[in-house]
């Protein structure tokens, strides 16, 4: 993934309002992220437990997705559906995202089990274990 700016991140969100995108917490360490090892930028919001964000590169720019997850969930070993890494003690959580457009306004969402720290790219490449 190529490095991205805070402005690009905020403009990329497809399933939340511009106001919500403006208020979300963007990582302060964008300059030091291992961009060459990332397939997507993912982070949890330290100020809002249960909130996380993904920004994915696409052919025509970036697509940002606001996610929610339940904190304090089951503490058993589970596998991430994205990178196939297993984690114990709640390290994998069900991340859900409101759908974009009319479906999202009607309350429809989708979800999958992912690493709670959203470091799937690094787990898949094995710099983290």
């Amino acid at each position: 993934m190529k490095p991205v700016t805070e402005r690009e991140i905020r403009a990329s969100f497809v399933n939340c309002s511009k106001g919500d995108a403006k208020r979300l917490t963007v990582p302060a360490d964008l300059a030091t992220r291992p961009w060459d090892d990332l397939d997507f930028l993912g982070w949890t919001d330290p100020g809002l437990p249960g909130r996380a964000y993904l920004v994915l590169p696409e052919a025509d720019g970036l697509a940002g997705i606001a996610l929610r997850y339940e904190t304090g969930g089951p503490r058993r070993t589970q596998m991430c559906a994205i990178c196939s890494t297993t984690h114990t003690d709640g390290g994998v959580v069900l991340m859900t995202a409101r759908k974009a457009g009319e479906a999202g306004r009607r309350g429809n969402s989708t979800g999958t089990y992912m690493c709670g720290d959203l470091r799937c790219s690094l787990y898949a490449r094995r710099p983290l274990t």
Side-chain angles (χ1 to χ4, degrees):
M1 183 170 179
K2 294 179 182 178
V4 296
T5 66
E6 179 178 341
R7 175 180 239 163
E8 291 171 319
I9 290 169
R10 292 188 189 284
S12 73
F13 284 90
V14 298
N15 71 334
C16 67
S17 70
K18 288 182 182 181
D20 287 342
K22 185 177 180 179
R23 289 185 293 274
L24 65 84
T25 302
V26 174
D29 64 346
L30 291 176
T32 60
R33 291 278 171 139
W35 295 105
D36 290 339
D37 292 327
L38 298 179
D39 297 304
F40 60 84
L41 173 64
W43 72 99
T44 57
D45 194 325
L48 294 169
R51 300 278 177 99
Y53 310 98
L54 288 178
V55 175
L56 306 114
E58 293 194 330
D60 58 344
L62 299 172
I65 304 168
L67 301 165
R68 291 184 183 241
Y69 63 95
E70 189 172 324
T71 59
R75 297 290 182 196
R76 62 181 183 263
T77 300
Q78 292 180 295
M79 182 184 294
C80 173
I82 305 300
C83 66
S84 298
T85 302
T86 56
H87 295 278
T88 58
D89 295 328
V92 172
V93 295
L94 176 62
M95 296 274 186
T96 60
R98 184 178 68 188
K99 290 188 173 185
E102 182 59 32
R105 287 189 287 279
R106 288 192 312 261
N108 294 332
S109 63
T110 188
T112 193
Y113 286 92
M114 296 180 67
C115 295
D117 61 9
L118 297 172
R119 297 170 72 180
C120 301
S121 296
L122 300 178
Y123 290 120
R125 288 180 172 78
R126 300 292 180 226
L128 297 176
T129 55

